[in-house]
Amino acid sequence: MLYLIGLGLGDARDITVKGLEIVRSCSRVYLEAYTSLLTVGKEVLEEFYGRELIIAEREMVEQEADEILKDAADNDVAFLVVGDPFGATTHSDLVLRAVKAGIQYHVVHNASILNAVGCCGLQLYNFGEAVSIVFWTEGWKPESFYDKIKRNRQTGVHTLCLLDIKVKEQSVENLMRGRKIFEPPRFMSVSQAAEQLLEIIENRRDKGEELALTEETLCVGLARVGSKNQKIAVATIQQMVKTDLGDPLHSLIITGHMHPMEIEMLKLFAVDKSSFNKLITLDGSTYYS
């Protein structure tokens, strides 16, 4: 059996009882180490689980999945994922490979950022399509995520923005030369994401487009959701650029229409409560201009 087990969002203790029992009984246990991170390292997990963990990096999961599935038809193998196992499409691919190889699989779910963002007070059924915001480079500045935010805003729903993680990335030169030299890990902050959004807003304004959001649009920054030092900050995009939420991982929400209860909840985390003065009410719903 192949077990895909969610670890939750905080630390080693967030694994479910069912998940922990399975981990302790498996012949091999892999830890997926590139779509997200816990606030504790591999050694802490190994001590708590009482098992040695095999780090499964992107290359292994995407190109060497047969190694993970080896003997899984006759032995129990666990594949651990921060958050929920299906928070990333890569893991669906692993399931399909297992089925094709005649290997049974079982999923143990857990909390993920996709549902834990409700901690800020925005109601989960009021969210639209989630988007990913990637690190820009000098010659590559994609804006497609803005267009998805625009579509969500037009229908009045909130947008969860998942911020870029760069772990074991190679420079273009090292990649071309085949050198296994990796760049230092980088994790996008809410302030960096807001800065990129502001640049897009200015670009679209210069083109004469009708803007989907402005510098004054209300957004929510979240850091280390599920951990004991979790932080939430509600501010305009302009204010978010100057907001420091500390260590990773960060997420950003662009608000849509809001219920009065959502507004009252967001005020608990306001960087500046005067930011709520520009709220506009339409058809019983409230949104930020």
Side-chain angles (χ1 to χ4, degrees):
M1 180 80 75
L2 171 67
Y3 290 96
L4 293 94
I5 301 173
L7 300 184
L9 295 170
D11 56 32
R13 295 171 298 172
D14 281 358
I15 190 171
T16 64
V17 174
K18 181 191 294 184
L20 184 58
E21 290 174 347
I22 293 170
V23 165
R24 289 177 173 170
S25 67
C26 283
S27 60
R28 296 195 310 281
V29 183
Y30 293 90
L31 174 63
E32 191 262 69
Y34 63 92
T35 59
S36 190
L37 296 171
L38 288 178
T39 56
V40 296
K42 171 177 175 281
E43 294 75 16
V44 175
L45 296 179
E46 288 180 327
E47 182 178 356
F48 186 77
Y49 300 160
R51 289 300 311 276
E52 179 185 354
L53 303 181
I54 304 167
I55 295 296
E57 295 167 345
R58 182 186 296 272
E59 186 175 332
M60 173 182 281
V61 178
E62 295 183 351
Q63 300 176 26
E64 302 171 16
D66 290 345
E67 179 65 25
I68 298 172
L69 299 175
K70 184 178 65 177
D71 302 330
D74 303 308
N75 298 280
D76 290 337
V77 175
F79 185 76
L80 311 184
V81 181
V82 176
D84 186 83
F86 289 119
T89 54
T90 298
H91 309 135
S92 296
D93 178 68
L94 186 61
V95 166
L96 292 172
R97 288 172 181 267
V99 171
K100 187 175 181 180
I103 297 168
Q104 296 184 75
Y105 74 93
H106 181 76
V107 180
V108 181
H109 293 284
N110 209 321
S112 78
I113 192 63
L114 296 174
N115 55 36
V117 291
C119 65
C120 72
L122 294 176
Q123 296 163 5
L124 292 179
Y125 54 77
N126 287 339
F127 277 79
E129 181 181 0
V131 306
S132 296
I133 300 182
V134 298
F135 279 113
W136 282 351
T137 65
E138 181 114 6
W140 188 62
K141 294 187 176 183
E143 298 185 2
S144 56
F145 62 87
Y146 169 89
D147 297 309
K148 292 182 180 180
I149 295 172
K150 180 178 181 177
R151 289 198 293 271
N152 283 343
R153 292 269 293 175
Q154 287 171 338
T155 56
V157 293
H158 314 309
T159 306
L160 171 61
C161 304
L162 304 172
L163 307 188
D164 204 0
I165 297 173
K166 297 292 188 186
V167 179
K168 294 204 74 173
E169 295 279 336
Q170 293 174 271
S171 67
V172 174
E173 181 183 354
N174 286 329
L175 190 62
M176 292 179 67
R177 292 177 181 272
R179 297 186 299 209
K180 293 287 185 178
I181 301 174
F182 301 100
E183 300 293 296
R186 289 192 298 153
F187 307 94
M188 183 179 287
S189 67
V190 291
S191 61
Q192 290 171 308
E195 193 169 0
Q196 290 186 186
L197 275 171
L198 287 183
E199 187 169 331
I200 295 174
I201 290 168
E202 192 59 37
N203 290 343
R204 300 299 175 101
R205 182 180 285 121
D206 290 343
K207 292 177 182 178
E209 290 187 20
E210 182 179 351
L211 296 176
L213 56 159
T214 72
E215 295 84 350
E216 299 302 314
T217 297
L218 204 64
C219 59
V220 183
L222 306 102
R224 303 172 301 283
V225 172
S227 70
K228 62 182 180 182
N229 62 347
Q230 167 182 300
K231 281 192 176 181
I232 303 172
V234 177
T236 65
I237 297 176
Q238 186 74 64
Q239 292 168 335
M240 195 62 74
V241 171
K242 299 177 181 178
T243 301
D244 181 6
L245 295 185
D247 294 336
L249 296 170
H250 290 194
S251 301
L252 184 71
I253 301 170
I254 306 299
T255 59
H257 293 186
M258 288 179 283
H259 186 276
M261 187 176 294
E262 290 180 300
I263 296 169
E264 291 306 308
M265 283 292 294
L266 290 188
K267 285 180 179 178
L268 298 177
F269 310 107
V271 170
D272 178 2
K273 284 190 168 58
S274 68
S275 300
F276 288 80
N277 293 341
K278 296 181 181 179
L279 288 170
I280 299 171
T281 300
L282 282 177
D283 301 326
S285 297
T286 306
Y287 72 101
Y288 204 83
S289 61

